[in-house]
């Protein structure tokens, strides 16, 4: 037996005559064989002889040499050419001497001859592909039709109680006969339909609606519905007899041309590649995903890609031609090959054994290719294919081909990451998760990588020694020539296990396995000193077990990784403590872990600590580490204090107490956030913030004065950028102070005045005095210190009294302290607001020194405006008196209005005579009795007028409506 791997294994060889207890005086010659898999364990073998006998044998595939004789019957006196098993109707159709015979598959009922079919040269059963929707009835479009049953040869109508049916095609000369056999009440009704064909048909097949025939000229396709024919292709003159075989349960058809097999679909179109056989096939049958070809005293097994994977020599059983039989339903696991006197049964080896045979020979690619093909053909499940990938991966791993091994691990959906844990650490807390004996015992048990590499190198040395001794050592020359060193192999193994564990993190794993994956991944990162990967894993969402790693990382000096790990596990105190240690000793500690020294390493540590503290609600922890972070970067300290990411905010009292008094910017930023963002209304914090800003403003003013003096002493040689920077900072602080003093009403202005009273912060003083209601002082600062006339006048407008303008005018004209009068500002004030002031008071305030030409026009306009205002008042007063007089006159007229009634006067509402009754007269002169008035209440008058809603208006001599 020559084979790449074992597909067929011999089950038994038998002599049908001896099994059937036939006397030696009546030898038999085997001419045909058919197989039918009745169940998973029982297979029926039909053997047709040259003398017309049909022998039925039963084989149990699960037991060796379990052949049983079932039945022997005589069909005819001539040889049996073809045996067709029709499982749909539980019958067997036999061709012998040009006639067709129908019998039950147990050979227990009498044989029925279909006598109306004569000179039949070939038959074939119909295959129905799963994708085809085929009617079970044949419309009668042929030249003739007839029907017989097993009980009667007379024609009859179709049985309406049809259980199942089967179809076959028979070749009679130049005609094709479609045979429909319907099983009903254990009787078979046969319907026939004839259609024209070709002369010399030697091969026939039927798939769906396509009947395929072959003769010496070529292959043709005939429609079973219409009878129309089409050429598929012609045969060369030197070609042997045509043969065809339906495959894949009718999805494909194999057409033979000498030793070439052409695969077509049921429509006659080429499908896939052609198959080239080593010998001239006598017969072909399908066994699962393989093709079994008989010829030249041997069986050859081919994969669908054309590869011959096994060759079985059967010449020892006889020198005559081979007769091949297989289960045409596609469900069988056995084939039978017969010589003239013997039948040899072969069973398909289990797929596990086929794959293991390839793996034992280190033919890994072929094993995977075979597994993929079997999975596509439905012979193995996807889970089994995944298992094979894992098995191949382990074999490659122990062969030191780590990259290929991990590639197969990743293709295995069923492999659990815990199975590689022993390669990293033999004894660990996850050892019990590894499933023992999951594979085919083709590789050693997993061991630490060093042991695996040492054992493989020792094995390679032994193979080299054996090869030098002239023995077959199955040594991979290419791999041996490029064999890396032990250290390189160890690094390669670690990197590939890392690759597998990283990919496994995206799988759905149990919590324990997730812990093992991440923890051991950190071990491997540390082994190769992959610091960025370690830090990335530790700082991300991970399942590392801290207890397994903290001693390891601490001893190896990977403190940054340990700090990240503590932080990801919520151990904030330990994490921040490490960052503080690193910030203080960075030069000695961090250089081993990073080559980036371009920015401040201390700041990096502070930034990482701040990320943790921003989320922490542990007030003691935050305030404990605030000082060292603020020493590195005050902005980070502020970010920590004002963070809104924590669930509970810090106590302002404790925060302000913890802030170093020298960290003024931090205190101011925190107080500003507290007041503006948190809307704090505590007067104490408002006062503290204002005092802090005031002191900063005083310092900046003093700094500005110092810079100016330096510039003067250096004759202007001081840099302008320096002066501008100081000025900008000063203005920034002062602007913040001014805005806050104007916006807040909760600070204590007296305390602030004590700080700024002796300074040059005049605008700030004006705001404070304004808060205290010191109008005179505010006007003095605005008018005299700041000389801001517009602001002073605006403040007077806010006060809203004319005396404020008089007071401001007095300050302009008599500024005191030896200052010159501010006549221009005074004239502007009179020009803008003089019209509303008392001229007498203005004239009393005017200074004798004021030039007349400055004030003449203004005073004149003011007097004219005063006279105009006085006269307007007189006009309004006179008009008001006239309106009042007119109203009184109108009222008097209304009251003097009268109505004359007589004995005939009636109520305008009820139309009763008024007589001496009390009555009411409405403004519209309608008259009603008092009773109607009381009853109507708020109702309108008889003319529809509401007296209270529609007020009566009588125009006077001055005012009209």
């Amino acid at each position: 037996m020559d084979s790449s791997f074992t597909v067929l294994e011999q089950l038994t060889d038998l002599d049908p005559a001896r099994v059937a207890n036939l006397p030696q005086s009546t030898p038999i010659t085997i001419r045909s064989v058919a197989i039918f898999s009745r169940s998973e364990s029982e297979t029926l073998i039909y053997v047709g002889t040259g003398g017309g006998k049909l022998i039925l044998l039963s084989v149990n595939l699960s037991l060796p040499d379990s052949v049983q004789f079932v039945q022997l019957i005589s069909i005819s006196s001539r040889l049996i050419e073809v045996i067709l098993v029709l499982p749909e109707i539980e019958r067997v159709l036999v061709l012998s001497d040009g006639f067709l015979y129908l019998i039950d598959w147990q050979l227990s009922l009498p044989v029925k001859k279909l006598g109306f079919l004569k000179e039949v040269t070939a038959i074939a059963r119909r295959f129905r592909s799963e994708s085809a929707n085929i009617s079970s009835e044949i419309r009668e479009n042929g030249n003739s039709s007839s029907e017989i049953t097993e009980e009667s040869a007379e024609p009859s109508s179709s049985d309406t109680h049809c259980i199942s049916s089967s179809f076959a095609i028979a070749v009679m000369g130049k005609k094709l006969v479609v045979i429909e056999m319907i099983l009903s009440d254990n009787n078979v009704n046969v319907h026939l339909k004839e259609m024209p064909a070709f002369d010399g048909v030697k091969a026939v097949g039927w798939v769906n609606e396509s009947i395929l025939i072959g003769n010496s000229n070529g292959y043709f396709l005939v429609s079973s519905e219409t009878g129309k024919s089409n050429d598929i292709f012609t045969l060369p003159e030197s070609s042997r007899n045509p043969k065809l075989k339906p495959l894949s349960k009718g999805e494909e058809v194999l057409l033979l041309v000498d030793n070439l097999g052409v695969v077509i679909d049921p429509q006659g179109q080429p499908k896939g590649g052609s198959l080239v056989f080593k010998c001239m096939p006598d017969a072909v049958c399908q066994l699962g995903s393989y093709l079994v070809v008989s010829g030249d005293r041997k069986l050859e097994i081919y994969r669908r890609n054309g590869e011959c994977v096994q060759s079985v020599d059967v010449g020892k059983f006889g020198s005559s031609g081979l007769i091949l039989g297989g289960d045409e339903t596609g469900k069988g696991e056995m084939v039978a090959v017969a010589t003239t006197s013997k039948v040899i049964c072969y069973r398909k080896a289990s797929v596990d054994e086929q794959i293991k045979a390839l793996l034992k020979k280190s033919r890994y690619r072929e094993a995977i290719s075979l597994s993929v093909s079997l999975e596509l053909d439905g012979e193995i499940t996807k889970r089994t294919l995944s298992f094979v990938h894992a098995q191949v991966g382990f074999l490659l791993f122990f062969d030191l081909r780590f990259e290929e091994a991990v590639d197969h691990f990743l293709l295995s959906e069923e492999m659990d990451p815990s199975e590689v844990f022993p390669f990293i650490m033999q004894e660990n807390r996850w050892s019990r998760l590894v499933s023992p004996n999951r594979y085919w015992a083709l590789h050693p048990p997993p061991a630490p990588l060093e042991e695996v590499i040492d054992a493989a190198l020792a094995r390679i040395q032994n193979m080299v020694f054996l090869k030098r001794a002239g023995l077959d050592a199955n040594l991979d020359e290419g791999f041996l020539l490029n064999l890396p060193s032990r250290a390189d192999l160890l690094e390669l193994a670690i990197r590939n296990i890392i690759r597998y564990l990283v990919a496994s993190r995206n799988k759905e794993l149990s919590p324990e396995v997730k812990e093992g994956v991440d923890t051991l991944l950190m071990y491997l990162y540390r082994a190769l000193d992959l610091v960025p990967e370690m830090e990335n894993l530790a700082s991300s969402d991970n399942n590392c077990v801290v207890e397994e790693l903290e001693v390891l990382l601490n001893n190896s000096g990977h403190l940054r990784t340990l700090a990240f790990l503590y932080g990801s596990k919520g151990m904030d105190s330990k994490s921040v403590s490490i960052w503080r240690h690193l910030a203080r000793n960075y030069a000695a500690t961090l250089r081993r872990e990073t080559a980036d020294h371009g920015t401040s390493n201390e700041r990096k540590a502070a930034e990482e600590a701040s990320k943790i503290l921003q989320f922490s609600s542990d007030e003691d922890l935050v305030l404990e580490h605030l000082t060292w972070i603020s020493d590195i970067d005050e902005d980070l300290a502020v970010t920590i204090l004002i963070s809104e990411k924590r669930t509970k905010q810090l106590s302002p009292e404790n925060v302000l107490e913890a802030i170093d008094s020298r960290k003024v910017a931090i205190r101011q930023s925190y107080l500003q956030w507290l007041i503006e963002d948190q809307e704090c209304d505590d007067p104490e914090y408002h006062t503290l913030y204002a005092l802090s800003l005031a002191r900063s403003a005083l310092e900046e003013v003093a700094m500005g004065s110092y810079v100016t003096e330096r510039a003067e002493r250096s004759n202007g040689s001081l840099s302008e950028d320096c002066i501008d920077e100081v000025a900008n900072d000063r203005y920034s602080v002062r602007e913040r102070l001014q805005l806050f003093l104007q916006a807040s009403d909760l600070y204590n202005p007296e305390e602030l005045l004590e700080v700024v009273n002796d300074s040059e912060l005049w605008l700030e003083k004006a705001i404070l005095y304004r808060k205290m209601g010191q109008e005179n002082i505010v006007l003095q600062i605005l008018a005299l210190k700041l000389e801001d006339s517009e602001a002073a006048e605006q403040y007077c407008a806010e006060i809203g009294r004319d005396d404020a303008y008089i007071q401001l005018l007095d300050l302009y004209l008599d500024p005191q302290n030896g200052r010159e009068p501010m006549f221009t500002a005074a004239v502007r004030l009179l020009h803008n607001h003089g019209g509303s002031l008392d001229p007498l008071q203005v004239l009393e305030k005017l200074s004798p020194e004021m030039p007349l030409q400055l004030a003449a026009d203004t005073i004149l306009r003011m007097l004219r405006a005063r006279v105009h205002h006085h006269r307007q008042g007189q006009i309004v007063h006179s008009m008001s008196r006239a309106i009042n007089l007119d109203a009184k006159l109108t009222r008097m007229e209304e009251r003097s209005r009268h109505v004359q009634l007589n004995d005939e006067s009636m109520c305008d509402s009820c139309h009763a005579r008024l007589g001496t009754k009390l009555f009411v007269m409405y403004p519209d002169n309608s008259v009603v009795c008092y009773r109607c008035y009381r009853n109507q209440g708020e109702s309108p008058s008889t003319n529809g007028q509401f007296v209270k809603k529609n007020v009566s208006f009588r125009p006077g001599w001055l005012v009209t409506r």
Side-chain angles (χ1 to χ4, degrees):
M1 179 180 293
D2 180 21
S3 63
S4 300
F5 58 91
T6 302
V7 176
L8 291 182
E9 52 187 15
Q10 184 175 334
L11 181 64
T12 184
D13 63 278
L14 54 94
D15 184 349
R18 186 163 57 87
V19 174
N21 294 321
L22 295 177
Q24 295 183 355
S25 59
T26 57
I28 63 172
T29 302
I30 300 174
R31 294 300 183 184
S32 58
V33 175
I35 290 178
F36 173 63
S37 297
R38 187 174 183 181
S39 65
E40 292 184 0
S41 59
E42 183 184 10
T43 300
L44 301 179
I45 303 176
Y46 297 89
V47 180
T49 69
K53 293 183 174 58
L54 184 62
I55 304 173
L56 175 60
L57 307 174
S58 175
V59 178
N60 190 332
L61 297 180
S62 60
L63 300 175
D65 297 328
S66 59
V67 181
Q68 294 182 352
F69 170 74
V70 178
Q71 189 63 271
L72 182 148
I73 62 173
S74 179
I75 300 294
S76 68
S77 61
R78 306 295 296 271
L79 66 89
I80 296 177
E81 302 173 42
V82 181
I83 304 172
L84 292 183
V85 181
L86 308 176
E88 298 88 352
I89 59 174
E90 301 179 353
R91 295 294 186 271
V92 178
L93 187 63
V94 176
L95 172 62
S96 176
D97 193 26
F99 292 95
L100 294 180
Y101 300 87
L102 196 63
I103 190 171
D104 69 294
W105 58 1
Q106 293 289 342
L107 309 186
S108 59
L109 298 177
V111 178
K112 296 300 179 180
K113 180 179 180 181
L114 305 183
F116 46 85
L117 294 175
K118 301 178 181 180
E119 298 180 0
V120 177
T121 57
I123 60 173
R125 65 181 295 259
R126 183 183 192 178
F127 288 90
R128 303 168 184 250
S129 64
E130 296 180 357
S131 59
N133 183 16
I134 305 172
S135 173
S136 62
E137 296 182 0
I138 299 292
R139 302 287 183 182
E140 291 187 1
N141 295 323
N143 296 327
S144 64
S145 70
S146 61
E147 174 185 295
I148 66 170
T149 68
E150 289 184 353
E151 300 299 330
S152 173
E154 299 297 326
S156 63
S157 61
S158 298
D159 197 324
T160 57
H161 302 285
C162 174
I163 298 176
S164 57
S165 63
S166 182
F167 295 86
I169 188 75
V171 180
M172 295 174 51
K174 294 184 179 182
K175 294 188 298 183
L176 295 176
V177 180
V178 175
I179 307 171
E180 179 185 13
M181 293 160 282
I182 301 175
L183 177 67
S184 176
D185 296 332
N186 204 30
N187 294 327
V188 177
N189 299 325
V190 179
H191 299 267
L192 306 178
K193 184 183 74 171
E194 295 182 3
M195 58 182 64
F198 302 92
D199 190 18
V201 175
K202 299 180 180 179
V204 65
W206 189 4
V207 177
N208 298 342
E209 289 84 14
S210 301
I211 301 174
L212 299 105
I213 58 178
N215 60 15
S216 58
N217 296 324
Y219 289 99
F220 308 91
L221 185 147
V222 179
S223 172
S224 62
E225 293 184 343
T226 64
K228 294 182 179 180
S229 62
N230 295 302
D231 295 348
I232 300 177
F233 60 82
T234 59
L235 291 174
E237 294 182 358
S238 60
S239 175
R240 294 179 58 184
N241 293 334
K243 295 183 179 66
L244 60 86
K245 184 71 176 179
L247 304 176
S248 303
K249 300 179 181 180
E251 297 289 346
E252 300 171 341
V253 180
L254 178 67
L255 307 180
L256 293 177
V257 182
D258 295 334
N259 67 329
L260 177 67
V262 179
V263 181
I264 64 172
D265 62 16
Q267 288 72 41
Q269 300 299 319
K271 184 177 181 181
S274 300
L275 304 175
V276 179
F277 303 112
K278 295 181 180 180
C279 63
M280 302 291 283
D282 293 328
V284 178
C285 72
Q286 186 175 8
L287 184 65
S289 60
Y290 300 97
L291 291 180
V292 181
V293 178
S294 65
D296 196 18
R297 299 193 302 176
K298 61 184 177 180
L299 295 180
E300 292 179 345
I301 296 87
Y302 290 84
R303 295 175 63 179
R304 295 302 301 273
N305 61 2
E307 177 189 4
C308 181
V309 296
Q310 186 179 6
S311 179
V312 181
D313 185 10
V314 293
K316 63 181 179 179
F317 298 104
S319 58
S320 59
L322 300 180
I323 303 168
L324 183 64
D327 189 347
E328 293 188 347
T329 63
K331 299 183 296 183
E333 296 291 320
M334 190 184 82
V335 296
V337 59
T339 63
T340 55
S341 60
K342 278 197 172 184
V343 176
I344 306 97
C345 299
Y346 291 91
R347 177 178 56 189
K348 187 175 73 169
S350 70
V351 293
D352 290 355
E353 294 300 324
Q354 296 177 40
I355 297 171
K356 280 197 286 186
L358 292 173
L359 296 180
K360 289 177 180 178
K361 297 178 181 179
S362 300
R363 296 165 63 177
Y364 305 133
R365 292 185 180 179
E366 295 180 39
I368 292 297
S369 178
L370 173 62
S371 301
V372 172
S373 299
L374 293 173
E375 194 270 333
L376 291 175
D377 294 333
E379 294 196 34
I380 63 173
T381 63
K382 201 168 185 178
R383 185 171 183 177
T384 303
L385 176 61
S386 178
F387 171 86
V388 174
H389 274 296
Q391 176 69 85
V392 171
F394 279 107
L395 290 171
L396 288 169
F397 200 91
F398 282 95
D399 286 347
L400 305 183
R401 294 155 67 176
F402 303 116
E403 186 173 356
E404 296 178 63
V406 170
D407 288 340
H408 285 283
F409 287 161
L410 294 176
L411 292 173
S412 175
E413 298 178 0
E414 296 296 323
M415 180 175 171
D416 194 271
S418 62
E419 297 180 47
V420 302
F421 291 174
F423 290 120
I424 306 169
M425 186 182 299
Q426 186 68 33
E427 296 296 332
N428 54 68
R429 64 193 298 170
W430 303 283
S431 299
R432 60 183 178 81
L433 300 177
V434 182
S435 302
N437 302 324
R438 280 198 64 210
Y439 299 99
W440 290 327
L442 300 179
H443 61 79
L449 291 175
E450 293 85 350
E451 298 180 14
V452 171
I453 294 173
D454 291 340
L457 292 176
R459 188 169 63 252
I460 290 173
Q461 285 184 341
N462 291 335
M463 286 195 221
V464 172
F465 177 78
L466 292 175
K467 182 162 185 154
R468 289 175 180 173
L471 300 177
D472 185 11
N474 192 22
L475 190 62
D476 188 346
E477 296 287 347
F479 180 72
L480 186 61
L481 292 175
N482 300 294
L483 184 65
S485 65
R486 183 181 184 277
D488 292 340
L489 285 171
L490 182 60
E491 180 179 351
L492 183 62
I494 293 175
R495 288 190 181 277
N496 280 281
I497 293 182
I498 288 174
R499 182 163 62 94
Y500 174 70
L501 294 180
V502 169
S504 300
R505 298 189 73 208
N506 299 321
K507 294 183 178 180
E508 292 292 335
L509 305 174
S510 66
E512 290 181 327
V513 175
K514 287 182 178 180
E515 290 180 356
V517 168
D518 286 358
T519 304
L520 295 179
L521 187 58
M522 187 69 77
Y523 269 97
L524 298 178
Y525 282 151
R526 189 206 63 84
L528 298 182
D529 200 28
L530 301 176
V531 175
E533 287 79 0
M534 293 172 63
E535 296 180 359
N536 184 53
L537 174 61
S539 60
S540 63
D541 185 15
N542 63 80
N543 296 280
C544 294
V545 180
V546 178
E547 296 80 4
E548 295 283 334
L549 295 173
E550 54 186 346
V551 175
L552 177 74
L553 296 175
N554 192 31
N555 292 340
S556 63
H558 294 91
L559 297 183
R560 277 176 57 92
T561 301
L562 184 58
F564 280 127
L565 185 60
Y566 281 142
S568 67
K569 297 302 179 181
M571 305 168 72
D572 297 343
S573 179
K574 290 185 176 181
S575 179
V576 178
S577 297
I578 292 178
W579 290 120
R580 178 174 60 182
H581 172 76
L582 292 174
R584 291 176 177 176
N585 306 280
Y586 226 96
T589 305
L590 191 58
R591 251 183 219 116
R592 293 195 302 271
E593 299 191 25
T594 178
D596 182 11
H597 304 294
T599 58
S600 171
N601 291 328
E602 293 81 2
R603 177 176 170 79
K604 289 182 179 179
E607 287 176 350
E608 297 300 336
S610 71
K611 292 177 183 178
I612 298 174
L613 297 178
Q614 288 176 37
F615 287 91
S616 176
S617 298
D618 187 345
E619 186 174 291
D620 295 335
L621 176 66
V622 174
L623 299 182
E624 176 188 356
H625 294 276
L626 183 66
T627 302
W628 70 268
I629 294 177
S630 63
D631 291 339
I632 296 173
D633 192 323
E634 294 186 355
D635 291 338
L636 288 177
V638 173
T639 303
I640 294 171
L641 295 176
I642 67 175
S643 172
E644 297 185 1
K645 298 176 182 177
R646 56 176 59 96
T647 57
K648 180 182 178 182
Q649 291 299 328
L650 308 177
S651 168
E653 182 179 356
N654 295 335
V655 170
L656 292 172
E657 183 179 351
I659 296 175
D660 192 341
S661 58
R662 294 170 296 178
K663 308 293 184 182
V664 177
I666 298 177
R667 179 181 294 269
Q668 289 178 1
S669 298
Y670 179 72
L671 287 171
Q672 181 182 2
W673 170 79
L674 198 64
I675 295 170
E676 295 179 0
D677 293 354
Q678 301 300 306
E679 299 180 354
C680 176
D681 56 359
D682 191 334
E684 179 183 358
Y685 299 137
H686 282 252
T687 303
L688 287 175
Y689 182 50
L691 288 172
S692 180
L693 289 176
R695 293 190 181 97
S696 297
L698 290 174
E699 292 176 1
E700 296 297 338
V701 169
M703 179 63 68
S705 300
Y706 171 72
V707 171
T708 304
E709 291 178 3
R710 284 182 57 193
E712 292 175 353
R713 288 199 300 269
S714 59
N715 297 323
S717 61
L718 193 63
S719 136
E720 292 183 0
D721 292 339
C722 180
I723 298 175
D724 291 341
E725 182 180 355
V726 174
N728 290 335
D729 290 341
R730 179 174 75 251
Y731 293 144
S732 176
V733 174
R734 290 198 63 183
E735 287 175 0
R736 288 166 55 197
L737 174 60
Q738 294 164 8
L739 290 173
F740 179 72
L741 293 179
Q742 291 177 351
S744 175
D745 295 325
L746 299 177
Y747 58 85
N748 189 339
E750 287 84 359
E751 292 188 33
L752 285 170
L753 280 173
E754 292 178 1
V755 175
V756 302
N757 200 27
D758 297 331
S759 69
E760 297 295 325
L761 304 180
W762 293 109
L763 182 55
E764 290 80 354
K765 292 181 189 179
I767 298 172
L768 294 173
Y769 281 118
R770 177 188 172 190
K771 295 287 185 180
M772 298 170 63
Q774 301 291 335
E775 299 173 358
N776 187 33
I777 300 177
V778 174
L779 286 175
Q780 289 181 19
I781 294 173
L782 294 176
L784 303 180
K785 296 296 184 181
L786 299 176
E787 297 183 357
D788 191 345
S789 301
E790 184 177 354
E793 293 177 16
Q794 184 179 356
Y795 180 62
C796 292
E798 293 176 4
I799 295 174
R801 302 193 309 271
D802 290 344
D803 62 325
Y805 292 104
I806 298 298
Q807 186 178 357
L808 179 58
L809 180 62
D810 186 40
L811 291 174
Y812 284 151
L813 298 177
D814 188 13
Q816 304 293 330
N817 297 327
R819 293 187 59 175
E820 294 293 331
M822 303 170 66
F823 296 125
T824 303
V827 171
R828 170 195 163 105
L829 175 62
L830 293 176
H831 177 76
N832 293 335
H833 305 283
S836 61
L837 302 180
D838 186 355
L840 186 58
Q841 292 182 2
V842 172
L843 292 173
E844 290 176 353
K845 295 295 182 181
L846 291 179
S847 172
E849 290 80 9
M850 183 176 182
L852 184 60
Q853 64 272 15
L854 292 176
D857 293 339
T858 300
I859 294 173
L860 181 60
R861 283 197 304 271
M862 183 180 65
L863 293 175
R864 287 175 178 172
R866 190 70 175 179
V867 171
H868 176 69
H869 181 70
H870 175 68
R871 288 177 178 174
Q872 274 189 329
Q874 287 180 333
I875 292 172
V876 172
H877 177 68
S878 298
M879 292 180 67
S880 298
R881 289 186 61 190
I883 292 172
N884 185 40
L885 181 60
D886 185 40
K888 288 180 179 180
L889 178 60
T890 302
R891 184 180 182 189
M892 186 179 297
E893 289 178 354
E894 286 294 320
R895 287 190 172 184
S896 63
R897 187 163 55 89
H898 63 276
V899 63
Q900 184 176 359
L901 301 177
N902 53 32
D903 294 339
E904 301 297 328
S905 298
M906 292 184 298
C907 174
D908 291 336
S909 178
C910 64
H911 303 292
R913 294 182 182 274
L914 292 176
T916 60
K917 296 178 183 177
L918 187 64
F919 64 90
V920 175
M921 183 176 67
Y922 283 98
D924 59 357
N925 293 331
S926 61
V927 177
V928 296
C929 63
Y930 188 73
R931 186 182 64 180
C932 290
Y933 169 74
R934 291 290 301 273
N935 292 338
Q936 293 173 358
E938 298 289 332
S939 63
S941 67
T942 56
N943 294 329
Q945 181 180 3
F946 282 90
V947 178
K948 291 188 177 181
K949 293 182 179 179
N950 302 325
V951 180
S952 177
F953 186 85
R954 292 187 178 277
W957 64 272
L958 180 62
V959 180
T960 59
R961 191 171 185 177

